[in-house]
């Protein structure tokens, strides 16, 4: 029996509004803030409840911090709490990227704006390159002989996804599902649960693709599919977005896409919120709303659907193996996308130096956060570009 909560719903909403407004540092920092604030300081939820939510967020697709926030809302206030906590967490950063989208569309052609993003784009390449490396280490294993021997299947999925993504410049949903199924069958073959697990993912990922409609509907369908395969980190959505937004639908140019990733880096809240910026550039306010809601919809549905059964899910070996296989392929696709974007964005000595400096800063300056690096890169971009005018 769940104890009566020590807080009311209004307090919970205000907390997530605040976290969504000032929560910089990426998913690891955000889930850390939640633990410190809600478990240690306020004691609103127990350590066990927090860890259960974190485990569920790591198993199911979706941006980690947003999922944990939704789960925390669910603990004492069920679906209403999950819904309001999720909206409160996402709303501040969505409004910020929407405002930035308006400014970008109005002034993006000006020389000084182009100069800013010249430096920022190079810094973003450095940041996501290092993030991809860390995500690889966390999701698969260290780059050493023992890891290659023990987890050679996962490394095979990872390398295959890099090569396929780089060659085709597209995301391949069936590749990810196949990786998950193969690894599950090898490591923890289920007897009768396989259909139940995979059917949900297949419906979420591909059920709407046969339906042709307006641009707004295409945005909603595309971003729902992308949101269903954000495993490991918010950055895992990059290959899906790049493939669909730049290559297939040609909604944005390569530079606009990279600028969109930069926007996500300089705003608080989940990195995935860049979809609001992209949606606005593609189809105005309704495009931004459709993209954001569609991206977070799978995350929300998975959380509230699985929350009542978390104990079985967390300890289910076939489900864990399935997620491990998918994650290895998704992270490989992320690395492949980073290579593609870097090839087109690192165009001269200055951008090479800015990208390298961003990586080294994050490695050796422990307390520095991405927004500060982005700001410095923006200033450098203006100085470099305007010096040649």
């Amino acid at each position: 029996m769940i104890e009566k909560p020590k807080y009311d719903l209004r307090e919970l909403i205000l907390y997530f509004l605040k976290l969504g407004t000032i929560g910089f540092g990426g998913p690891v920092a955000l889930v850390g803030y939640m633990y410190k604030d809600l478990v240690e300081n306020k004691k609103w939820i127990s350590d066990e409840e927090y860890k259960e939510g974190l485990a569920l967020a790591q198993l199911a697709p979706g941006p980690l911090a947003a999922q944990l926030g939704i789960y925390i809302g669910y603990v004492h206030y069920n679906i209403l709490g999950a819904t309001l906590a999720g909206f409160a967490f996402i709303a501040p950063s969505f409004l910020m990227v929407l405002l930035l989208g308006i400014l970008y569309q109005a002034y993006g052609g000006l020389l000084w704006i182009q100069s800013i993003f010249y430096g920022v784009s190079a810094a973003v390449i450095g940041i996501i390159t290092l993030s991809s490396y860390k995500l690889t280490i966390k999701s698969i294993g260290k780059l050493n002989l023992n890891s290659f021997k023990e987890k050679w299947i996962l490394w095979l999925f990872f390398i295959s996804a890099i090569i396929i993504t780089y060659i085709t410049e597209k995301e391949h949903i069936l590749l990810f599902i196949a990786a998950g199924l193969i690894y599950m069958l090898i490591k923890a073959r289920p007897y009768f649960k396989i259909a139940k697990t995979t059917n949900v993912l297949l419906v979420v990922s591909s059920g709407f693709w046969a339906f042709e409609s307006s641009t707004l509907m295409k945005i909603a369908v595309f971003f729902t599919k992308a949101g269903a395969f954000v495993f490991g980190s918010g950055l895992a959505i990059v290959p899906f977005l790049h493939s669909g937004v730049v290559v297939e639908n040609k909604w944005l140019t390569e530079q606009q896409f990279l600028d969109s990733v930069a926007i996500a880096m300089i705003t608080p809240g989940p990195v995935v919120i860049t979809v609001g910026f992209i949606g606005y550039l593609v189809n105005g306010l309704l495009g931004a709303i459709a993209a954001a809601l569609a991206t977070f919809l799978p995350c929300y549905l998975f959380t509230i659907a699985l929350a009542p059964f978390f104990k079985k899910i967390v300890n289910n070996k076939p489900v864990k193996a399935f997620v491990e296989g998918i994650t290895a392929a998704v992270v490989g696709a992320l690395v492949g996308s980073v290579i593609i974007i870097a090839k087109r964005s690192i165009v001269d000595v200055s951008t090479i130096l800015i990208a390298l400096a961003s990586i080294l800063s994050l490695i050796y300056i422990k307390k520095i956060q991405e927004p500060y690096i982005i700001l410095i890169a923006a200033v450098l971009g203006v100085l470099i570009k305007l010096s040649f005018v």
Side-chain angles (χ1 to χ4, degrees):
M1 183 176 179
I2 298 175
E3 295 180 7
K4 184 178 179 181
K6 301 175 183 178
Y7 58 95
D8 58 34
L9 195 53
R10 183 186 66 86
E11 289 176 304
L12 184 69
I13 293 169
L14 289 176
Y15 170 76
F16 279 107
L17 280 172
K18 179 182 176 182
L19 184 63
T21 303
I22 63 174
F24 286 97
V28 175
L30 291 170
V31 299
Y33 296 146
M34 290 184 211
Y35 184 83
K36 182 179 179 181
D37 296 337
L38 302 182
V39 179
E40 294 184 341
N41 296 341
K42 297 179 183 292
K43 302 187 187 303
W44 284 358
I45 62 170
S46 67
D47 185 73
E48 182 183 359
E49 288 167 336
Y50 174 89
K51 288 178 179 177
E52 288 166 353
L54 185 59
L56 180 58
Q58 289 173 322
L59 279 176
L64 181 68
Q67 265 188 301
L68 181 58
I70 291 169
Y71 181 85
I72 288 172
Y74 183 89
V75 169
H76 290 129
Y77 289 98
N78 297 316
I79 293 178
L80 178 61
T83 305
L84 295 179
F87 269 111
F89 183 44
I90 296 162
S93 53
F94 173 76
L95 293 175
M96 291 179 202
V97 298
L98 183 61
L99 177 60
L100 290 169
I102 294 169
L103 294 173
Y104 182 88
Q105 198 167 62
Y107 302 108
L110 297 180
L111 178 60
W112 67 273
I113 290 289
Q114 294 175 353
S115 301
I116 287 174
F117 280 102
Y118 168 81
V120 165
S121 298
V124 167
I125 292 297
I127 292 169
I128 63 176
T129 297
L130 184 60
S131 296
S132 300
Y133 169 76
K134 289 182 177 179
L135 190 57
T136 301
I137 299 301
K138 178 183 176 183
S139 303
I140 305 176
K142 294 182 179 180
L143 300 176
N144 57 44
L145 192 58
N146 286 336
S147 177
F148 295 149
K149 286 182 178 178
E150 293 174 4
K151 301 181 178 180
W152 67 270
I153 299 174
L154 293 179
W155 284 111
L156 179 62
F157 293 156
F158 173 78
I159 295 169
S160 300
I162 293 176
I163 295 171
I164 293 171
T165 302
Y166 180 77
I167 293 173
T168 64
E169 298 191 5
K170 294 180 180 180
E171 91 285 356
H172 297 274
I173 300 298
L174 292 179
L175 171 66
F176 304 143
I177 294 175
L181 289 175
I182 291 169
Y183 199 66
M184 178 173 64
L185 291 173
I186 292 172
K187 289 294 181 180
R189 180 178 299 179
Y191 293 101
F192 54 83
K193 296 180 181 179
I194 181 171
K196 188 175 180 181
T197 303
T198 54
N199 284 346
V200 173
L201 287 169
L202 287 169
V203 168
V204 171
S205 65
S206 59
F208 292 102
W209 275 109
F211 184 71
E212 284 289 329
S213 189
S214 65
T215 300
L216 197 63
M217 179 59 74
K218 287 181 181 178
I219 289 172
V221 172
F222 169 73
F223 283 99
T224 300
K225 185 179 77 164
F229 281 86
V230 185
F231 282 89
S233 165
L235 283 175
I237 202 172
V238 169
F240 295 94
L241 297 185
H242 182 265
S243 172
V245 170
V246 179
V247 180
E248 294 175 17
N249 292 300
K250 301 187 188 304
W251 285 330
L252 300 184
T253 65
E254 195 79 44
Q255 185 60 49
Q256 287 174 323
F257 177 76
L258 199 57
D259 295 345
S260 302
V261 178
I263 292 298
M265 299 287 181
I266 63 174
T267 51
V271 173
V272 175
I273 203 60
T274 188
V275 298
F277 182 87
I278 293 172
Y280 181 80
L281 295 187
V282 176
N283 207 33
L285 177 60
L286 290 179
I289 294 172
L293 289 178
T295 301
F296 285 98
L297 180 62
C299 155
Y300 170 78
L301 292 177
F302 272 111
T303 303
I304 62 173
L306 300 180
F309 315 104
F310 65 84
K311 291 187 185 298
K312 291 182 180 179
I313 296 165
V314 168
N315 296 318
N316 188 297
K317 290 182 179 180
V319 171
K320 281 187 175 181
F322 182 76
V323 171
E324 282 183 46
I326 282 188
T327 302
V330 168
V331 174
L334 171 60
V335 174
S337 293
V338 171
I339 296 171
I340 293 168
I341 299 168
K343 183 178 68 173
R344 295 169 182 170
S345 304
I346 304 300
V347 294
D348 53 29
V349 175
S350 297
T351 49
I352 292 172
L353 292 175
I354 292 174
L356 288 174
S358 300
I359 294 173
L360 294 173
S361 298
L362 288 170
I363 292 173
Y364 293 107
I365 306 175
K366 298 300 181 183
K367 293 185 178 180
I368 196 167
Q369 293 184 343
E370 285 89 345
Y372 297 114
I373 293 175
I374 296 290
L375 180 61
I376 295 169
V379 174
L380 288 174
V382 172
L383 293 174
I384 293 168
K385 277 290 186 182
L386 295 185
S387 65
F388 291 102
V389 176

